[in-house]
Amino acid sequence: MSLTNECEFPVPGQANDLVAAALEQTNESDVTAAVHDIARRSKVAGRVLATATRGTKDAALAILADALVAHGGRILAANAVDIDRERAGGMSESTLDRLALTTQRIEAIADALRQVAALPDPVGEVIRGSRLPNGLTLRQVRVPMGVVGMIYEARPNVTVDAAGLALKSGNSVILRGGSAAAESNKVIVNVLRDALVEAGLPADLVQSVDEYGRPGAVALMGARGLVDLLVPRGGAGLIQTVVREAKVPVIETGVGNCHVYVDSAANLDWAHDIVLNAKVQRPSVCNAAETLLVHRDVAAQFLPRVFETLREEKVTIHGDAGAKAAIPAGLSFESATDEDWAKEYHGLDLAVRIVDSIDQAIDHIRAWTSGHTEAIVTNDVNAADKFVAELDSACVIVNASTRFTDGGEFGLGAEIGISTQKLHARGPMGLGELTTSKWVVFGQGQIRQ
Amino acid sequence: MSLTNECEFPVPGQANDLVAAALEQTNESDVTAAVHDIARRSKVAGRVLATATRGTKDAALAILADALVAHGGRILAANAVDIDRERAGGMSESTLDRLALTTQRIEAIADALRQVAALPDPVGEVIRGSRLPNGLTLRQVRVPMGVVGMIYEARPNVTVDAAGLALKSGNSVILRGGSAAAESNKVIVNVLRDALVEAGLPADLVQSVDEYGRPGAVALMGARGLVDLLVPRGGAGLIQTVVREAKVPVIETGVGNCHVYVDSAANLDWAHDIVLNAKVQRPSVCNAAETLLVHRDVAAQFLPRVFETLREEKVTIHGDAGAKAAIPAGLSFESATDEDWAKEYHGLDLAVRIVDSIDQAIDHIRAWTSGHTEAIVTNDVNAADKFVAELDSACVIVNASTRFTDGGEFGLGAEIGISTQKLHARGPMGLGELTTSKWVVFGQGQIRQ
């Protein structure tokens, strides 16, 4: 299992559940009080961690990893309960596969914790510093955020990843997992809490609000002043609900309506391989391409060739009239509507549009993008510069696949998610993005004139 | 006039007006549509600026500065209308003084724009970069936020400052000023817009929603996806309303319940001067001290001396029993309540508490601080380290006045405000904090394996 947990397609149900809970505006004062109490305990526990050394944190991560393996039997038993319930409830086999744990998967989850331990500690880094004219010594130092909340969907490995990344960056974490993984997560959280105590750290560094159901998630989103950062991970519905309803600071992650534009000056061999890679290598993730824009001058030469390969890969094309003209027999085709330009398919579907110019390509992308990743294929340096300068997305790529927008690929180490907002973090988020900074000033009695 | 516009005490009325408007939940669909249209025009105009060179931006700032001076007569006439109306409405003379413009003040405001022109351009800075193992070239580049909204109170110079800082950092700006300065702001915005056109830039880089009144401010706060960043500037009421009601990304600024702790190992000469400076040098600003904590071991020696000076400065003490015991004749004293520990006085009032230990001081600060600035006076390096490590505020100062938390003092150049939140910016915010970043990747046909 990779350290990089790529954003994945949504599990039906949870997002709508959250919307419903938020809209109910239930006067769940008991739940709110309980969740706020959890957040206060989280803050107190976090203070111990904020000043812990890297050695302490890495040793704890190793103990957590060992504990998960040691208690693998309990975790698998709980996971079997989740799987049985969800299979009976009609969950698809592919989603069940994401939910399912095995001894091997638990080993991999534990290994991911050990890899987090091997990453540099972001806390304590001096970002800027200077000696001021009046003799004051000024440093801007990286410090933990404090209490990090995480609302996510089915995969139980996210429970462990979130705890590990929070711990390494000096934060306490409050988890709200998907109901589909409720039993698995419950046991995993208990194993982690016991292991924290074994490591000499407060158990309350890792807490869950799962037992409070949907009102618990709403209370977590509303815990202003108690939760320093909330990161939603999952499908677009979940993320949008959290972004809209939360009263605490949120980082919006992972919604990727990514584009590939094949310019008139493109190397069409590169274009073919990039389109194929961006669409089919892992279609369920957020950095997969959803729309292909092709310059009219190369459409007649390029489209038949790429369509041939996409047919072999069983991709369905949602295209305009120009695309339709090039569709070979046996390739599924539907006429594209505005909905197609807006959609993140999460599957083997590709919207295709012919454009008259790079400006039209840029206008299309501006109109429809989620601001994640856009790629241009071109040999024209001015076209590349224009595309990079004029598009305002988290990542703009020249002559490579959109699939490279990834913390692991970028060399950031573990990835919390991919931010599509502009505040605080943009693009792949590593451990550093789970920290904030503090200004530290040392003087010798200076006062301001 | 300094480039640094320090946060100041609130103008009564506006914050409550905003609350009322937000709570009304009026179905002001016409206003919302109009404000959203303004935001869309702002985004389009901003695209021109995002790729403008520093030369273009600095030249435009000079033209704006000249235009303000050239149209000084119109601005003064409008300001006189504001002053007359507010004086008739009972505004205090000190607040009227902040609202009032003179030829000299207009010159100073214009000079501030010229000083912004002299600052380095944050846009285009490469924050990080590397060549990846697969040959991809990776750069994280600073780019403008896009559309910046600003909601602020009475002082008309903020209108110009906000426009200048936004322009320099490549952003378009949408302004919502206080109703007390409505006429002044209207003329200033028109002068700036005309000057932008003269500079060859779109007028819509600077727009105002003042004509839409309170519902316009609410619409601006709700313009999700259209406003990239909203910065409230003013008193606590205004800021909290914006933070609570806004659906767009907000940076919380400027609420400062700052503490000075005089340790048992303090140099009491330094402590005396620091307390005096932090409290009385400019009591209306956010980095002024509101609470003095004194270690019991030095209270008997320190308090009579500092109280003597504070009496001369006509400060009122709100203290505990220990403080009361040291109050000299002629120094105003009130017994402190929890309200005093929580309060930002914005005036010549100081809460005073005797503590038994540095731990008690830290606990007090944690319980009551707004997270702005805390100072310790001590010669004990371990006490200093503990105070710095355990307090989680934007700025922690050893042996100097709290008044140093300031963009100008920190050498950041112009200051947008002082962030008391943890996301994106913390402490004094310079031009860089009005930018975000974009990842730019160049390849040679790479695809992901």
Side-chain angles (χ1 to χ4, degrees), chain B residues 338-390:
Chain B
D338 278 358
E339 218 170 288
D340 288 296
W341 308 137
K343 203 165 183 177
E344 192 176 10
Y345 291 114
H346 294 299
L348 290 172
D349 296 82
L350 181 68
V352 180
R353 184 176 176 185
I354 314 299
V355 294
D356 294 328
S357 63
I358 185 172
D359 285 303
Q360 204 185 346
I362 288 172
D363 285 346
H364 177 100
I365 294 171
R366 281 176 172 167
W368 299 108
T369 186
S370 64
H372 190 298
T373 298
E374 329 299 347
I376 183 175
V377 187
T378 189
N379 285 331
D380 177 349
V381 71
N382 295 311
D385 281 351
K386 183 183 174 72
F387 193 82
V388 166
E390 295 188 8

Side-chain angles (χ1 to χ4, degrees), chain A residues 145 388 391 399 422 438 445, chain B residues 145 388 391 399 422 438 445:
Chain A
M145 273 284 174
V388 166
L391 282 174
N399 291 331
K422 294 182 177 179
K438 176 157 83 175
Chain B
M145 274 284 172
V388 166
L391 282 175
N399 291 331
K422 293 182 177 179
K438 176 157 84 174

Side-chain angles (χ1 to χ4, degrees), chain A residues 90-246:
Chain A
M91 184 179 270
S92 73
E93 285 303 316
S94 67
T95 309
L96 282 171
D97 180 61
R98 287 172 51 212
L99 175 57
L101 292 174
T102 62
T103 300
Q104 194 184 2
R105 284 185 177 185
I106 291 173
E107 292 274 5
I109 291 170
D111 271 342
L113 281 183
R114 296 186 188 103
Q115 289 172 51
V116 170
L119 291 171
D121 188 344
V123 175
E125 181 196 348
V126 178
I127 303 167
R128 286 188 275 189
S130 61
R131 195 166 171 83
L132 301 179
N134 59 6
L136 288 178
T137 304
L138 179 70
R139 281 176 297 150
Q140 188 182 21
V141 182
R142 211 175 271 291
V143 295
M145 273 284 174
V147 177
V148 174
M150 182 86 65
I151 297 184
Y152 55 101
E153 293 177 310
R155 300 195 311 168
N157 66 303
V158 176
T159 307
V160 180
D161 283 347
L165 295 168
L167 182 62
K168 180 78 187 201
S169 52
N171 296 291
S172 50
V173 69
I174 302 176
L175 302 162
R176 151 68 179 172
S179 55
E183 293 302 317
S184 313
N185 286 340
K186 191 170 166 184
V187 173
I188 289 171
V189 166
N190 283 335
V191 168
L192 295 176
R193 286 171 59 88
D194 289 347
L196 282 166
V197 173
E198 193 188 327
L201 290 171
D204 283 343
L205 289 173
V206 177
Q207 293 183 89
S208 163
V209 296
D210 282 0
E211 67 179 290
Y212 300 104
R214 291 172 261 157
V218 175
L220 185 63
M221 292 191 281
R224 198 161 167 81
L226 299 171
V227 171
D228 294 298
L229 174 63
L230 183 60
V231 183
R233 278 188 61 172
L238 171 71
I239 290 167
Q240 285 310 312
T241 301
V242 173
V243 167
R244 201 173 48 243
E245 300 299 334

Side-chain angles (χ1 to χ4, degrees), chain A residues 118-443:
Chain A
L119 291 171
D121 188 344
V123 175
E125 181 196 348
V126 178
I127 303 167
R128 286 188 275 189
S130 61
R131 195 166 171 83
L132 301 179
N134 59 6
L136 288 178
T137 304
L138 179 70
R139 281 176 297 150
Q140 188 182 21
V141 182
R142 211 175 271 291
V143 295
M145 273 284 174
V147 177
V148 174
M150 182 86 65
I151 297 184
Y152 55 101
E153 293 177 310
R155 300 195 311 168
N157 66 303
V158 176
T159 307
V160 180
D161 283 347
L165 295 168
L167 182 62
K168 180 78 187 201
S169 52
N171 296 291
S172 50
V173 69
I174 302 176
L175 302 162
R176 151 68 179 172
S179 55
E183 293 302 317
S184 313
N185 286 340
K186 191 170 166 184
V187 173
I188 289 171
V189 166
N190 283 335
V191 168
L192 295 176
R193 286 171 59 88
D194 289 347
L196 282 166
V197 173
E198 193 188 327
L201 290 171
D204 283 343
L205 289 173
V206 177
Q207 293 183 89
S208 163
V209 296
D210 282 0
E211 67 179 290
Y212 300 104
R214 291 172 261 157
V218 175
L220 185 63
M221 292 191 281
R224 198 161 167 81
L226 299 171
V227 171
D228 294 298
L229 174 63
L230 183 60
V231 183
R233 278 188 61 172
L238 171 71
I239 290 167
Q240 285 310 312
T241 301
V242 173
V243 167
R244 201 173 48 243
E245 300 299 334
K247 305 292 180 203
V248 302
V250 169
I251 290 189
E252 189 173 349
T253 65
V255 177
N257 181 16
C258 303
H259 299 76
V260 176
Y261 165 58
V262 177
D263 186 46
S264 56
N267 176 325
L268 296 183
D269 292 336
W270 290 358
H272 172 271
D273 294 353
I274 288 169
V275 169
L276 192 70
N277 185 256
K279 181 69 259 179
V280 310
Q281 196 231 4
R282 197 168 171 193
S284 65
V285 295
C286 60
N287 57 20
E290 308 297 349
T291 298
L292 167 65
L293 302 169
V294 179
H295 193 286
R296 187 171 300 282
D297 292 353
V298 293
Q301 189 184 353
F302 179 64
L303 282 181
R305 181 174 163 200
V306 76
F307 280 169
E308 200 64 40
T309 315
L310 291 171
R311 181 178 58 183
E312 289 165 23
E313 299 286 344
K314 305 199 190 315
V315 171
T316 297
I317 304 298
H318 306 252
D320 65 1
K324 187 176 186 181
I327 294 288
L331 176 60
S332 301
F333 178 85
E334 295 175 17
S335 288
T337 64
D338 278 358
E339 218 172 286
D340 288 296
W341 308 137
K343 204 165 182 176
E344 193 177 9
Y345 291 114
H346 294 299
L348 290 172
D349 295 81
L350 181 67
V352 180
R353 184 176 176 187
I354 314 299
V355 294
D356 294 328
S357 64
I358 185 173
D359 285 302
Q360 204 185 347
I362 289 172
D363 285 345
H364 177 100
I365 294 171
R366 281 176 172 167
W368 299 108
T369 185
S370 64
H372 190 298
T373 298
E374 331 298 347
I376 183 175
V377 187
T378 189
N379 285 331
D380 176 350
V381 71
N382 295 313
D385 280 351
K386 183 183 173 72
F387 193 83
V388 166
E390 295 188 9
L391 282 174
D392 186 28
S393 292
C395 189
V396 186
I397 295 181
V398 178
N399 291 331
S401 170
T402 55
R403 293 275 294 115
F404 284 111
T405 301
D406 175 281
E409 293 290 329
F410 278 11
L412 304 182
E415 180 184 284
I416 319 301
I418 296 179
S419 164
T420 50
Q421 69 175 42
K422 294 182 177 179
L423 215 62
H424 187 70
R426 200 173 190 209
M429 294 167 62
L431 285 171
E433 279 71 30
L434 284 183
T435 66
T436 180
S437 63
K438 176 157 83 175
W439 291 95
V440 178
V441 181
F442 272 77

Side-chain angles (χ1 to χ4, degrees), chain B residues 115-393:
Chain B
Q115 289 172 51
V116 170
L119 291 171
D121 188 346
V123 175
E125 182 195 348
V126 178
I127 303 167
R128 285 188 275 189
S130 61
R131 195 166 171 84
L132 301 178
N134 59 8
L136 288 178
T137 304
L138 180 69
R139 282 176 296 150
Q140 188 182 22
V141 182
R142 211 175 271 291
V143 295
M145 274 284 172
V147 177
V148 174
M150 181 86 65
I151 297 184
Y152 56 101
E153 292 177 310
R155 299 195 312 167
N157 67 303
V158 176
T159 307
V160 179
D161 283 347
L165 295 168
L167 181 64
K168 180 77 187 202
S169 52
N171 296 291
S172 50
V173 69
I174 302 176
L175 301 162
R176 152 67 178 172
S179 55
E183 293 301 317
S184 314
N185 285 339
K186 191 171 164 185
V187 173
I188 290 171
V189 166
N190 284 336
V191 168
L192 295 176
R193 287 170 57 88
D194 290 346
L196 282 166
V197 173
E198 193 188 328
L201 290 171
D204 284 344
L205 288 173
V206 177
Q207 295 182 88
S208 164
V209 297
D210 282 359
E211 67 179 291
Y212 300 104
R214 293 172 259 159
V218 175
L220 185 64
M221 292 192 281
R224 203 170 159 76
L226 299 172
V227 171
D228 294 299
L229 175 62
L230 183 61
V231 182
R233 278 188 62 173
L238 170 71
I239 290 167
Q240 285 310 312
T241 301
V242 173
V243 167
R244 201 173 48 244
E245 301 299 334
K247 304 293 180 202
V248 301
V250 169
I251 290 189
E252 189 173 347
T253 66
V255 177
N257 181 16
C258 303
H259 298 76
V260 176
Y261 165 58
V262 177
D263 187 45
S264 57
N267 175 326
L268 296 183
D269 292 335
W270 291 357
H272 173 272
D273 294 352
I274 287 168
V275 169
L276 192 70
N277 185 254
K279 181 68 259 177
V280 309
Q281 196 232 2
R282 197 168 171 193
S284 66
V285 296
C286 61
N287 57 20
E290 309 296 349
T291 297
L292 167 65
L293 302 169
V294 179
H295 194 287
R296 188 170 300 282
D297 291 355
V298 293
Q301 189 184 352
F302 179 64
L303 281 182
R305 180 175 164 199
V306 77
F307 280 170
E308 201 63 41
T309 316
L310 291 171
R311 180 178 58 184
E312 289 165 24
E313 298 287 345
K314 304 197 189 318
V315 171
T316 297
I317 304 298
H318 306 252
D320 65 1
K324 187 176 185 180
I327 293 287
L331 176 60
S332 302
F333 178 86
E334 295 175 17
S335 288
T337 63
D338 278 358
E339 218 170 288
D340 288 296
W341 308 137
K343 203 165 183 177
E344 192 176 10
Y345 291 114
H346 294 299
L348 290 172
D349 296 82
L350 181 68
V352 180
R353 184 176 176 185
I354 314 299
V355 294
D356 294 328
S357 63
I358 185 172
D359 285 303
Q360 204 185 346
I362 288 172
D363 285 346
H364 177 100
I365 294 171
R366 281 176 172 167
W368 299 108
T369 186
S370 64
H372 190 298
T373 298
E374 329 299 347
I376 183 175
V377 187
T378 189
N379 285 331
D380 177 349
V381 71
N382 295 311
D385 281 351
K386 183 183 174 72
F387 193 82
V388 166
E390 295 188 8
L391 282 175
D392 186 27
S393 292

